[in-house]
Amino acid sequence: EAGVAQSPRYKIIEKRQSVAFWCNPISGHATLYWYQQILGQGPKLLIQFQNNGVVDDSQLPKDRFSAERLKGVDSTLKIQPAKLEDSAVYLCASSPDRAQPGELFFGEGSRLTVL
Amino acid sequence: SQQGEEDPQALSIQEGENATMNCSYKTSINNLQWYRQNSGRGLVHLILIRSNEREKHSGRLRVTLDTSKKSSSLLITASRAADTASYFCASQTGANNLFFGTGTRLTVIP
């Protein structure tokens, strides 16, 4: 079974530029999450999708971050304009069924450096 | 913040010794999970303990949960150099969100 795919693995941009990250969850997984992990810290939830609907985006900085999950499969996370403090690893995760709490399956992450 | 705290932040032991990591969380939970993260990689699920369970084993891993104290511990027995990684606890609430702790960086010296 293929795992969660993320791209790009690494991205370096100047502040005020924009960036987009892509995630393809495990086939059949209804729930998709984006987490931000700053160096030395635990992952922080940015947004949770159930199929193509947003379940929780309370911690998403909506003035600069946006995310979508068209057709309930792939997802894209965008940052525009980027700030220095956005330097982090952006982790995508998926799980089979929101109604059944259980483990999340994580991708390898996309490491963003903002200069 | 709904994130928990882990203790210690860093732990260095000799191969063959046991490693114990502690976690505290803040809200009522459905379950508590432990994840492992190798440097520069994604998180890998290790074990899940439900709120009505007190202890669970999986291979060399032993997890305990005390809901009255909102705390959990992870014990890795007979550690190996390959166990070197960061370990995170994550509390899962009714909304199925996972809230991660700050992590313990474990170094196992061969």
Side-chain angles (χ1 to χ4, degrees), chain A residues 41-43, chain B residues 3-10 20-25 32-35 43 72-74 86-91 99-105:
Chain A
Q41 298 183 17
Chain B
Q3 287 187 323
E5 297 290 328
E6 294 191 54
D7 170 59
Q9 288 187 333
T20 299
M21 290 159 261
N22 302 298
C23 163
S24 63
Y25 56 92
L32 188 131
Q33 303 178 31
W34 286 87
Y35 286 78
L43 284 83
S72 174
S73 68
L74 171 68
S86 291
Y87 292 82
F88 294 90
C89 69
S91 53
F99 295 98
F100 284 85
T102 51
T104 293
R105 178 180 291 276

Side-chain angles (χ1 to χ4, degrees), chain A residues 34-46:
Chain A
W34 283 102
Y35 282 84
Q36 180 193 56
Q37 186 177 24
I38 293 172
L39 185 64
Q41 298 183 17
K44 182 186 83 170
L45 179 69
L46 291 176

Side-chain angles (χ1 to χ4, degrees), chain A residues 5-30:
Chain A
Q6 290 189 246
S7 68
R9 286 295 314 277
Y10 305 94
K11 189 74 175 179
I12 300 174
I13 61 173
E14 300 279 339
K15 61 183 179 183
R16 290 187 290 273
Q17 287 186 325
S18 63
V19 64
F21 302 112
W22 172 83
C23 171
N24 186 292
I26 292 173
S27 178
H29 280 196

Side-chain angles (χ1 to χ4, degrees), chain A residues 28-75:
Chain A
H29 280 196
T31 310
L32 185 147
Y33 309 78
W34 283 102
Y35 282 84
Q36 180 193 56
Q37 186 177 24
I38 293 172
L39 185 64
Q41 298 183 17
K44 182 186 83 170
L45 179 69
L46 291 176
I47 190 167
Q48 177 187 347
F49 292 95
Q50 176 74 7
N51 296 312
N52 61 347
V54 175
V55 174
D56 183 354
D57 63 356
S58 58
Q59 297 194 78
L60 186 73
K62 297 180 186 66
D63 57 334
R64 298 182 301 105
F65 286 65
S66 65
E68 59 182 11
R69 191 184 183 196
L70 299 176
K71 302 180 181 179
V73 181
D74 294 6
S75 178

Side-chain angles (χ1 to χ4, degrees), chain A residues 58-107:
Chain A
S58 58
Q59 297 194 78
L60 186 73
K62 297 180 186 66
D63 57 334
R64 298 182 301 105
F65 286 65
S66 65
E68 59 182 11
R69 191 184 183 196
L70 299 176
K71 302 180 181 179
V73 181
D74 294 6
S75 178
T76 303
L77 176 70
K78 296 180 181 178
I79 308 174
Q80 182 179 12
K83 292 185 175 181
L84 296 176
E85 58 261 36
D86 298 332
S87 293
V89 177
Y90 291 86
L91 295 162
C92 180
S94 67
S95 65
D97 184 351
R98 178 170 178 262
Q100 295 291 329
E103 70 174 283
L104 270 59
F105 297 81
F106 282 84

Side-chain angles (χ1 to χ4, degrees), chain B residues 41-94:
Chain B
R41 307 297 296 274
L43 284 83
V44 175
H45 181 265
L46 294 177
I47 193 167
L48 179 155
I49 185 165
R50 302 194 187 283
S51 59
N52 61 353
E53 297 176 312
R54 291 297 167 260
E55 186 171 314
K56 200 162 184 179
H57 297 254
S58 177
R60 294 184 295 113
L61 305 180
R62 172 178 171 259
V63 171
T64 62
L65 179 66
D66 186 335
T67 53
S68 66
K69 295 181 179 178
K70 291 188 169 59
S71 67
S72 174
S73 68
L74 171 68
L75 169 67
I76 304 174
T77 60
S79 64
R80 306 167 181 167
D83 294 329
T84 294
S86 291
Y87 292 82
F88 294 90
C89 69
S91 53
Q92 192 162 50
T93 66

